[in-house]
Amino acid sequence: KREKRRSFELMIDKELNNKTVSIYFDSPMSFEAKNIKPLNGITGLYFIFSSTIQVQYPFDRSKLLYIGMSEKRTNSIGSRLIGHFEGKSKNVGLVNYRKVEPLWFTYINIEMLRNIWDFRVEDLESYFILNFVEYYGVYPICNNKTGFEILNNTLKTDFKIDWNYFK
């Protein structure tokens, strides 16, 4: 079982005034209503993954199925996850993976990154999706958006994301 941790390491490149932040994910939570409801009102990113199924992506395998986001407290991580849990989001892939085996999730509260991320939650989601593509060669199997909008911004923060969490 993974130990509970939520940490961010910060390294600053003083010449470019850029920051590199290492992202380590929190302990996984079973994808059940009782674990989702406490997240009502929280905004940020969430990650849904399988228990044992390793998806063969072009460059490597991963249990990660979906990267999602909530930009408003009224459409919080809790309400977005409940939508996926109940099938109301109409993400057929997540519904069918859940039929085969229990799913898990973890999340990042955007408030933890406010001092280092100057853009929208949507842009952070795009950054994570494109970073996943860089490491795995394609979007997470249940995502259907590209995330190229983030490329139009001048970023002062780079994230080193612990994708090994999902292996």
PDB file of all heavy atoms in Angstrom, residues 123-134:
ATOM      1  N   ASP A 123      -5.691  25.086 -17.879  1.00  0.00           N
ATOM      2  CA  ASP A 123      -4.333  25.075 -18.410  1.00  0.00           C
ATOM      3  C   ASP A 123      -3.454  24.072 -17.671  1.00  0.00           C
ATOM      4  O   ASP A 123      -2.582  23.438 -18.265  1.00  0.00           O
ATOM      5  CB  ASP A 123      -3.717  26.472 -18.327  1.00  0.00           C
ATOM      6  CG  ASP A 123      -4.456  27.477 -19.202  1.00  0.00           C
ATOM      7  OD1 ASP A 123      -4.906  27.099 -20.293  1.00  0.00           O
ATOM      8  OD2 ASP A 123      -4.590  28.641 -18.777  1.00  0.00           O
ATOM      9  N   LEU A 124      -3.675  23.922 -16.372  1.00  0.00           N
ATOM     10  CA  LEU A 124      -2.923  22.933 -15.608  1.00  0.00           C
ATOM     11  C   LEU A 124      -3.272  21.520 -16.074  1.00  0.00           C
ATOM     12  O   LEU A 124      -2.390  20.675 -16.249  1.00  0.00           O
ATOM     13  CB  LEU A 124      -3.213  23.085 -14.110  1.00  0.00           C
ATOM     14  CG  LEU A 124      -2.382  22.202 -13.184  1.00  0.00           C
ATOM     15  CD1 LEU A 124      -0.890  22.524 -13.283  1.00  0.00           C
ATOM     16  CD2 LEU A 124      -2.854  22.353 -11.738  1.00  0.00           C
ATOM     17  N   GLU A 125      -4.548  21.288 -16.321  1.00  0.00           N
ATOM     18  CA  GLU A 125      -4.961  19.985 -16.852  1.00  0.00           C
ATOM     19  C   GLU A 125      -4.281  19.727 -18.197  1.00  0.00           C
ATOM     20  O   GLU A 125      -3.758  18.637 -18.443  1.00  0.00           O
ATOM     21  CB  GLU A 125      -6.483  19.927 -17.027  1.00  0.00           C
ATOM     22  CG  GLU A 125      -6.953  18.599 -17.597  1.00  0.00           C
ATOM     23  CD  GLU A 125      -8.378  18.634 -18.112  1.00  0.00           C
ATOM     24  OE1 GLU A 125      -8.810  19.662 -18.662  1.00  0.00           O
ATOM     25  OE2 GLU A 125      -9.053  17.604 -17.963  1.00  0.00           O
ATOM     26  N   SER A 126      -4.266  20.737 -19.058  1.00  0.00           N
ATOM     27  CA  SER A 126      -3.608  20.602 -20.358  1.00  0.00           C
ATOM     28  C   SER A 126      -2.133  20.274 -20.189  1.00  0.00           C
ATOM     29  O   SER A 126      -1.584  19.420 -20.889  1.00  0.00           O
ATOM     30  CB  SER A 126      -3.751  21.886 -21.173  1.00  0.00           C
ATOM     31  OG  SER A 126      -5.091  22.111 -21.498  1.00  0.00           O
ATOM     32  N   TYR A 127      -1.479  20.953 -19.253  1.00  0.00           N
ATOM     33  CA  TYR A 127      -0.063  20.702 -18.990  1.00  0.00           C
ATOM     34  C   TYR A 127       0.139  19.234 -18.602  1.00  0.00           C
ATOM     35  O   TYR A 127       1.018  18.549 -19.135  1.00  0.00           O
ATOM     36  CB  TYR A 127       0.450  21.617 -17.870  1.00  0.00           C
ATOM     37  CG  TYR A 127       1.919  21.447 -17.590  1.00  0.00           C
ATOM     38  CD1 TYR A 127       2.844  22.354 -18.102  1.00  0.00           C
ATOM     39  CD2 TYR A 127       2.393  20.385 -16.831  1.00  0.00           C
ATOM     40  CE1 TYR A 127       4.200  22.202 -17.856  1.00  0.00           C
ATOM     41  CE2 TYR A 127       3.743  20.221 -16.585  1.00  0.00           C
ATOM     42  CZ  TYR A 127       4.641  21.128 -17.099  1.00  0.00           C
ATOM     43  OH  TYR A 127       5.983  20.957 -16.859  1.00  0.00           O
ATOM     44  N   PHE A 128      -0.674  18.729 -17.678  1.00  0.00           N
ATOM     45  CA  PHE A 128      -0.530  17.351 -17.224  1.00  0.00           C
ATOM     46  C   PHE A 128      -0.806  16.364 -18.353  1.00  0.00           C
ATOM     47  O   PHE A 128      -0.089  15.370 -18.505  1.00  0.00           O
ATOM     48  CB  PHE A 128      -1.447  17.073 -16.031  1.00  0.00           C
ATOM     49  CG  PHE A 128      -0.830  17.402 -14.702  1.00  0.00           C
ATOM     50  CD1 PHE A 128      -0.570  18.718 -14.347  1.00  0.00           C
ATOM     51  CD2 PHE A 128      -0.506  16.407 -13.797  1.00  0.00           C
ATOM     52  CE1 PHE A 128      -0.003  19.031 -13.122  1.00  0.00           C
ATOM     53  CE2 PHE A 128       0.070  16.702 -12.567  1.00  0.00           C
ATOM     54  CZ  PHE A 128       0.324  18.021 -12.227  1.00  0.00           C
ATOM     55  N   ILE A 129      -1.836  16.625 -19.149  1.00  0.00           N
ATOM     56  CA  ILE A 129      -2.152  15.724 -20.263  1.00  0.00           C
ATOM     57  C   ILE A 129      -1.004  15.700 -21.267  1.00  0.00           C
ATOM     58  O   ILE A 129      -0.566  14.631 -21.702  1.00  0.00           O
ATOM     59  CB  ILE A 129      -3.484  16.115 -20.932  1.00  0.00           C
ATOM     60  CG1 ILE A 129      -4.656  15.782 -20.003  1.00  0.00           C
ATOM     61  CG2 ILE A 129      -3.644  15.402 -22.282  1.00  0.00           C
ATOM     62  CD1 ILE A 129      -6.004  16.310 -20.476  1.00  0.00           C
ATOM     63  N   LEU A 130      -0.490  16.867 -21.622  1.00  0.00           N
ATOM     64  CA  LEU A 130       0.612  16.907 -22.588  1.00  0.00           C
ATOM     65  C   LEU A 130       1.884  16.291 -22.026  1.00  0.00           C
ATOM     66  O   LEU A 130       2.658  15.664 -22.757  1.00  0.00           O
ATOM     67  CB  LEU A 130       0.864  18.343 -23.056  1.00  0.00           C
ATOM     68  CG  LEU A 130      -0.248  18.931 -23.916  1.00  0.00           C
ATOM     69  CD1 LEU A 130       0.042  20.389 -24.229  1.00  0.00           C
ATOM     70  CD2 LEU A 130      -0.431  18.137 -25.207  1.00  0.00           C
ATOM     71  N   ASN A 131       2.111  16.438 -20.732  1.00  0.00           N
ATOM     72  CA  ASN A 131       3.259  15.799 -20.096  1.00  0.00           C
ATOM     73  C   ASN A 131       3.095  14.278 -20.124  1.00  0.00           C
ATOM     74  O   ASN A 131       4.057  13.542 -20.365  1.00  0.00           O
ATOM     75  CB  ASN A 131       3.419  16.317 -18.668  1.00  0.00           C
ATOM     76  CG  ASN A 131       4.719  15.877 -18.040  1.00  0.00           C
ATOM     77  OD1 ASN A 131       4.763  14.864 -17.348  1.00  0.00           O
ATOM     78  ND2 ASN A 131       5.771  16.644 -18.281  1.00  0.00           N
ATOM     79  N   PHE A 132       1.875  13.791 -19.913  1.00  0.00           N
ATOM     80  CA  PHE A 132       1.605  12.354 -20.011  1.00  0.00           C
ATOM     81  C   PHE A 132       1.910  11.871 -21.427  1.00  0.00           C
ATOM     82  O   PHE A 132       2.536  10.821 -21.609  1.00  0.00           O
ATOM     83  CB  PHE A 132       0.146  12.065 -19.638  1.00  0.00           C
ATOM     84  CG  PHE A 132      -0.183  10.597 -19.596  1.00  0.00           C
ATOM     85  CD1 PHE A 132      -0.018   9.874 -18.416  1.00  0.00           C
ATOM     86  CD2 PHE A 132      -0.667   9.935 -20.718  1.00  0.00           C
ATOM     87  CE1 PHE A 132      -0.319   8.515 -18.371  1.00  0.00           C
ATOM     88  CE2 PHE A 132      -0.958   8.584 -20.681  1.00  0.00           C
ATOM     89  CZ  PHE A 132      -0.789   7.868 -19.507  1.00  0.00           C
ATOM     90  N   VAL A 133       1.489  12.640 -22.433  1.00  0.00           N
ATOM     91  CA  VAL A 133       1.758  12.283 -23.830  1.00  0.00           C
ATOM     92  C   VAL A 133       3.268  12.190 -24.069  1.00  0.00           C
ATOM     93  O   VAL A 133       3.744  11.269 -24.745  1.00  0.00           O
ATOM     94  CB  VAL A 133       1.115  13.304 -24.798  1.00  0.00           C
ATOM     95  CG1 VAL A 133       1.590  13.072 -26.228  1.00  0.00           C
ATOM     96  CG2 VAL A 133      -0.401  13.225 -24.725  1.00  0.00           C
ATOM     97  N   GLU A 134       4.013  13.115 -23.493  1.00  0.00           N
ATOM     98  CA  GLU A 134       5.470  13.104 -23.645  1.00  0.00           C
ATOM     99  C   GLU A 134       6.072  11.812 -23.082  1.00  0.00           C
ATOM    100  O   GLU A 134       6.968  11.230 -23.670  1.00  0.00           O
ATOM    101  CB  GLU A 134       6.050  14.311 -22.916  1.00  0.00           C
ATOM    102  CG  GLU A 134       7.526  14.520 -23.101  1.00  0.00           C
ATOM    103  CD  GLU A 134       8.004  15.761 -22.366  1.00  0.00           C
ATOM    104  OE1 GLU A 134       7.245  16.751 -22.281  1.00  0.00           O
ATOM    105  OE2 GLU A 134       9.139  15.728 -21.860  1.00  0.00           O
TER     106      GLU A 134
END
